Amino acid sequence: AEKKRKAEAEKKRKAEAEKNRRAAARAEEKRKADAIVAAKKRAAEADKLIAVGSGSSFAVNAEGTFISNQHVIDGCSKIELMKSGKPLEASVEASDERNDLALIQVSDPINQEVFFRLSDEPIKVMDGVFVGGFPFGNLLGKNVKVTSGIVSSMAGINDDVSQLMIDAAIQPGNSGGPIFLTNGKL
């Protein structure tokens, strides 16, 4: 009877050990599967594209109001303007898709004293123009880039008179920057 009791106890101990081994193996498999799922999730997040764009703008008053192009801010969930290498949080106050304009406001005054003013005279074909902006973001440096040219047409694509054509060289990132006449007015 003692042998039988010992054999039963050994059998029970082995069954309990096997049960514990299987539970540990299941826990290890679950840990591995969870690690694989987490790694796949991290990889998917790392591969997720976050749209980031850049363009130009210019201040129109000391209260922090800027003008840019509507297509520069279109679809943005966050807007920052850079002033002297520092980001300024901004919000879109108004935009006009037809005329491709956006009015942007920063939260703090910018303490700037010089602004471009609108021209009092209508522009015409062959007027000299300058284009200012930040082509390719900071890739070409942090200072404004200026190119020159002329007004080559008073209408854009399909004779759209809300647009004009210039021959000053512009690059991606120039969008939103000012076009001003040789007298310095917008």
Side-chain angles (χ1 to χ4, degrees), residues 10 16 24 27 30 32 50 86 100 120 127 134 155 178 183-184:
E10 181 63 21
E16 188 66 30
K30 182 172 181 348
K32 286 179 181 178
I50 298 173
K86 295 182 180 160
D100 197 18
D120 299 333
D127 276 351
F134 297 89
N183 66 6

Side-chain angles (χ1 to χ4, degrees), residues 166-180:
I166 60 173
D167 71 350
I170 57 172
Q171 305 296 331
N174 269 107
S175 291
I179 299 173
F180 49 99

Side-chain angles (χ1 to χ4, degrees), residues 77-92:
S77 60
K78 181 179 179 181
I79 297 172
E80 288 182 338
L81 300 181
M82 298 298 287
K83 180 160 181 1
S84 302
K86 295 182 180 160
L88 303 172
E89 282 198 37
S91 60
V92 177

Side-chain angles (χ1 to χ4, degrees), residues 104-147:
I104 301 169
Q105 184 69 44
V106 295
S107 53
D108 296 321
I110 57 169
N111 299 322
Q112 187 167 324
E113 296 178 18
V114 178
F115 303 98
F116 296 118
R117 301 290 179 215
L118 287 174
S119 177
D120 299 333
E121 300 174 23
I123 58 172
K124 51 193 175 309
V125 172
M126 294 183 55
D127 276 351
V129 293
F130 294 99
V131 176
F134 297 89
F136 300 108
N138 286 336
L139 184 64
L140 299 178
K142 294 180 181 180
N143 295 320
V144 67
K145 310 299 178 283
V146 179
T147 59

Side-chain angles (χ1 to χ4, degrees), residues 6-89:
K6 283 184 179 179
E8 289 282 327
E10 181 63 21
K11 186 178 178 183
K12 194 174 187 180
R13 186 193 62 75
K14 284 182 179 179
E16 188 66 30
E18 180 62 20
K19 181 179 171 185
N20 289 341
R21 185 193 65 76
R22 286 183 182 164
R26 281 192 305 272
E28 180 62 16
E29 287 299 315
K30 182 172 181 348
R31 186 195 64 75
K32 286 179 181 178
D34 289 347
I36 290 170
V37 168
K40 285 181 179 179
K41 188 174 182 179
R42 283 191 306 273
E45 287 295 317
D47 287 343
K48 192 178 190 181
L49 294 178
I50 298 173
V52 176
S54 68
S56 299
S57 64
F58 57 96
V60 294
N61 63 30
E63 287 75 42
T65 305
F66 289 77
I67 292 183
S68 187
N69 286 125
Q70 191 275 337
H71 75 266
V72 170
I73 55 92
D74 189 35
C76 293
S77 60
K78 181 179 179 181
I79 297 172
E80 288 182 338
L81 300 181
M82 298 298 287
K83 180 160 181 1
S84 302
K86 295 182 180 160
L88 303 172
E89 282 198 37

